[in-house]
């Protein structure tokens, strides 16, 4: 599996206008340069990140993953199509990319989807989607970079209350999760 960062001028322009931001040639050069920097930064990190996501989740990526980089986006990222908003904070971006890669590996797994829908049938869809993602995300980041790194990334997202409930539920069961999300969900 390979993570491919790419820039699409049309996509970036579309999202800029939809975000009510201007778009010009300077932005094209800025984003093309940024994609090169991000690719270089991840060149030596992506294999260990991918291996750790697969190990912790107990799943395998089915194919390479393309990640679009854009300047303006209402969210920090979206998982389909995998799109990340540019940030000069590469530590934070590492956490964001790990989160979205986990969405990618889980979305194609029917067993996970059925298990989560059955176990949490009365919960909101966001909860069903994010409980396994956040469990795996925290474990992967702490295993690779340590608890301090994880807390730094989480702190940057604390202004966003969208996942507050999901994080509180993840924190309640986190100590019981080591690896293999399917086995964990079957037992919980």
């Amino acid at each position: 599996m390979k993570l491919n960062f790419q820039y699409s001028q049309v996509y970036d322009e579309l999202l800029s206008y939809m975000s009510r931001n201007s778009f010009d040639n300077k932005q094209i050069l800025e984003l093309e340069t940024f994609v090169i920097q991000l690719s270089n930064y991840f060149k030596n990190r992506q294999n260990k990140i991918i291996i750790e996501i697969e190990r912790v989740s107990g799943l395998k990526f089915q194919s390479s993953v393309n990640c679009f980089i854009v300047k303006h986006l209402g969210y920090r990222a979206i998982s389909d199509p995998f799109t990340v908003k540019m940030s000069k904070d590469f530590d934070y971006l590492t956490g964001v990319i790990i989160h979205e890669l986990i969405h990618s590996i889980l979305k194609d797994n029917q067993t996970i989807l059925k298990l989560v829908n059955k176990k949490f049938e009365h919960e909101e869809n966001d909860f069903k989607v994010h409980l396994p993602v956040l469990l795996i995300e925290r474990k992967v980041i702490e295993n690779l970079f340590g608890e301090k790194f994880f807390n730094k990334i989480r702190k940057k997202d604390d202004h966003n209350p969208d996942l507050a409930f999901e994080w509180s539920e993840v924190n309640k069961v986190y100590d019981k999760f080591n690896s293999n999300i399917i086995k964990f969900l079957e037992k919980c």
Side-chain angles (χ1 to χ4, degrees), residues 111-127:
T111 304
I112 290 274
L113 297 173
K114 288 175 188 172
L115 243 164
V116 168
N117 280 325
K118 182 180 175 187
K119 288 266 184 199
F120 307 109
E121 63 182 310
H122 300 295
E123 295 292 345
E124 295 287 326
N125 211 30
D126 225 26
F127 179 86

Side-chain angles (χ1 to χ4, degrees), residues 24 26 49 55-57 77 81 83 88 100-101 118 121 137 146 152 154 164 170 177:
D24 58 28
K26 195 168 117 181
I49 289 171
R55 190 190 71 72
V56 169
S57 69
T83 307
K88 298 285 184 177
E100 299 307 331
L101 282 170
K118 182 180 175 187
E121 63 182 310
E137 175 185 346
K152 177 182 159 191
R154 277 281 297 128
V170 163
F177 176 66

Side-chain angles (χ1 to χ4, degrees), residues 47-61 98 102 105-106 112 131-145 170 174 176-185:
N47 282 343
K48 71 177 186 175
I49 289 171
I50 290 163
I51 289 167
E52 189 65 13
I53 290 171
E54 290 180 337
R55 190 190 71 72
V56 169
S57 69
L59 305 170
K60 293 281 184 201
F61 284 98
I98 288 170
I102 295 166
I105 202 169
L106 293 179
I112 290 274
L131 181 76
V133 170
L134 298 177
L135 267 170
I136 296 167
E137 175 185 346
R138 180 174 171 191
K139 186 66 73 179
V140 166
I141 291 172
E142 286 184 358
N143 287 352
L144 290 175
F145 306 107
V170 163
Y174 180 72
K176 298 173 187 161
F177 176 66
N178 287 314
S179 63
N180 197 316
I181 194 67
I182 292 173
K183 287 181 182 174
F184 176 80
L185 290 172

Side-chain angles (χ1 to χ4, degrees), residues 19-105:
S19 303
R20 294 182 169 30
N21 289 291
S22 61
F23 181 87
D24 58 28
N25 287 337
K26 195 168 117 181
Q27 184 169 324
I28 297 168
L29 182 59
E30 177 186 22
L31 272 286
E32 287 177 343
T33 302
F34 182 78
V35 167
I36 292 167
Q37 292 169 340
L38 187 62
S39 295
N40 288 337
Y41 178 81
F42 266 86
K43 191 182 330 182
N44 297 324
R45 291 168 179 81
Q46 79 168 295
N47 282 343
K48 71 177 186 175
I49 289 171
I50 290 163
I51 289 167
E52 189 65 13
I53 290 171
E54 290 180 337
R55 190 190 71 72
V56 169
S57 69
L59 305 170
K60 293 281 184 201
F61 284 98
Q62 301 303 312
S63 60
S64 291
V65 177
N66 294 321
C67 175
F68 293 99
I69 306 298
V70 296
K71 176 124 184 187
H72 302 287
L73 185 64
Y75 303 105
R76 63 186 192 158
I78 53 178
S79 56
D80 195 12
F82 187 176
T83 307
V84 174
K85 183 167 127 180
M86 185 181 103
S87 170
K88 298 285 184 177
D89 183 344
F90 279 27
D91 285 349
Y92 177 69
L93 218 47
T94 298
V96 170
I97 290 167
I98 288 170
H99 179 95
E100 299 307 331
L101 282 170
I102 295 166
H103 273 297
S104 294
I105 202 169

